[in-house]
Amino acid sequence: MSATSGILFAGVALLLVASVSAQLNQTFYDTSCPGGVQAVANVVTAAVKADKRNAAGLLRLHFHDCFVRGCDASVLLATVPGDPQAEKDAPPNLSLQGFGIIDQAKAALEKQCPGVFSCADILALAARDAVVFIGGPSWNVSLGRRDGSVSLASEALNNLPGTFFTYQQLISNFAKKGLSEADMVVLSGAHTIGLTHCSSITPRLYNSSGGPDPTLNSTFVAAETAACPNDGSSASKTIPIDFTTGQTFDVNYFKNILSHSAIFKSDDALISTSSGRSKVRTLAGSKQIFFSAFGGAMQKMSIAGVLTGTQGKIRTQCSKA
């Protein structure tokens, strides 16, 4: 596929972003908090420079926020004693990382321009800045989100896609957030960075007959069985989701899927249909196309269900409503 085709792949996303209300724009804080956007970038850059794994943590934190109640920073709220559990305490969110980085950025902003900069906007900027720092694509982040006050673990369970989802389940799940089939496939490429626990892959390495899932690549099986032995000692050990290039933002995640070297069943699902296989092959074949499409899809995702204007509030502490 040509570079022009890559632009078309993300074209719908860019058109949708262009139609966002004027209340959400890139210059939102230019007057009320000049230098605020750079302050977030400074904190994020320092954190990712200190530990490259923080990039995946911040990207995943933004994703998990936007898929529950929209991008309103509800994932940051702590459970209040006596109230129902908050999103961050739902099983799919127990491994989320990056909360401290967001708190650090918020503290810096509260000193600079108190009560002005939302936690939701910090999350959106942090995801972009972290990805850019490790050599991934950039995208425009429109600002002006406001923070929500409700956070329920039950809603996280009902809205976050599962690592066992089929292709159609993934399409349906993303569609609820205004994201297309193409957006779903390209955003799955976030798995090019990040870690998961051995417990995510051991059921596929050691099935009921003691052997690996026959659909898995033998080279991949050898690497993963060495990293995650079936002796109960490695359940909490972490391994790269992309077993070839680890924390590098590249197209190898899609190449891994095509070679049957993916950890999650939901990754395998991307090539379970002709439509999915075609999209995965296109993205695997061109870093330019992947980066362009990923940036466009992130712009779409980051405006899902946002609160603006007089909706919501500006939280002074991201963990407290």
Side-chain angles (χ1 to χ4, degrees):
M1 183 177 276
S2 67
T4 300
S5 298
I7 294 171
L8 291 175
F9 198 104
V12 175
L14 296 177
L15 286 172
L16 185 146
V17 170
S19 68
V20 175
S21 166
Q23 290 181 316
L24 213 62
N25 60 77
Q26 294 179 64
T27 61
F28 187 84
Y29 295 108
D30 282 6
T31 300
S32 61
C33 190
V37 172
Q38 186 59 50
V40 174
N42 292 343
V43 171
V44 170
T45 297
V48 179
K49 185 176 181 179
D51 188 341
K52 198 174 181 181
R53 293 173 297 181
N54 283 325
L58 291 168
L59 179 60
R60 186 167 177 246
L61 198 57
H62 181 43
F63 180 96
H64 280 229
D65 179 49
C66 291
F67 264 62
V68 184
R69 290 187 165 267
C71 309
D72 68 345
S74 55
V75 74
L76 303 177
L77 289 170
T79 297
V80 176
D83 286 352
Q85 281 193 321
E87 288 173 39
K88 67 188 301 184
D89 292 323
N93 287 336
L94 293 177
S95 59
L96 287 179
Q97 298 178 330
F99 294 100
I101 300 169
I102 300 301
D103 287 342
Q104 187 180 349
K106 179 60 172 174
L109 289 167
E110 284 300 306
K111 289 181 180 179
Q112 186 172 327
C113 44
V116 171
F117 213 111
S118 72
C119 300
D121 278 342
I122 296 173
L123 278 173
L125 287 168
R128 190 271 311 274
D129 294 342
V131 168
V132 169
F133 186 80
I134 62 168
S138 184
W139 58 90
N140 293 330
V141 177
S142 296
L143 302 167
R145 296 167 190 77
R146 287 171 66 84
D147 301 323
S149 300
V150 177
S151 183
L152 298 170
S154 58
E155 293 186 343
L157 289 169
N158 292 333
N159 284 277
L160 291 170
T163 57
F164 53 84
F165 272 21
T166 66
Y167 194 70
Q168 190 54 54
Q169 286 176 317
L170 288 169
I171 290 175
S172 298
N173 180 264
F174 277 65
K176 293 175 182 177
K177 313 305 171 187
L179 298 166
S180 68
E181 176 187 356
D183 295 326
M184 179 273 290
V185 174
V186 74
L187 287 174
S188 296
H191 283 170
T192 187
I193 55 175
L195 303 171
T196 189
H197 289 99
C198 277
S199 55
S200 299
I201 186 63
T202 47
R204 304 190 69 195
L205 297 176
Y206 312 104
N207 62 25
S208 57
S209 62
D213 182 334
T215 65
L216 292 175
N217 178 289
S218 59
T219 301
F220 173 72
V221 169
E224 298 306 308
T225 51
C228 302
N230 191 29
D231 58 8
S233 65
S234 63
S236 61
K237 179 183 176 181
T238 55
I239 54 173
I241 298 176
D242 175 355
F243 90 112
T244 51
T245 54
Q247 304 307 306
T248 302
F249 207 100
D250 55 28
V251 300
N252 280 342
Y253 162 77
F254 296 106
K255 291 180 179 180
N256 291 342
I257 293 174
L258 292 171
S259 68
H260 303 286
S261 304
I263 285 181
F264 302 124
K265 292 293 288 184
S266 57
D267 294 331
D268 283 341
L270 299 185
I271 55 171
S272 64
T273 69
S274 58
S275 177
R277 281 193 301 275
S278 175
K279 290 175 175 59
V280 169
R281 287 185 182 126
T282 296
L283 295 168
S286 171
K287 177 179 175 180
Q288 180 182 356
I289 291 175
F290 172 42
F291 276 30
S292 175
F294 189 85
M298 284 298 297
Q299 285 181 268
K300 274 182 76 172
M301 187 198 76
S302 71
I303 62 171
V306 294
L307 303 174
T308 60
T310 58
Q311 298 172 318
K313 62 191 297 185
I314 303 297
R315 303 205 297 262
T316 55
Q317 286 185 270
C318 292
S319 62
K320 296 182 179 180

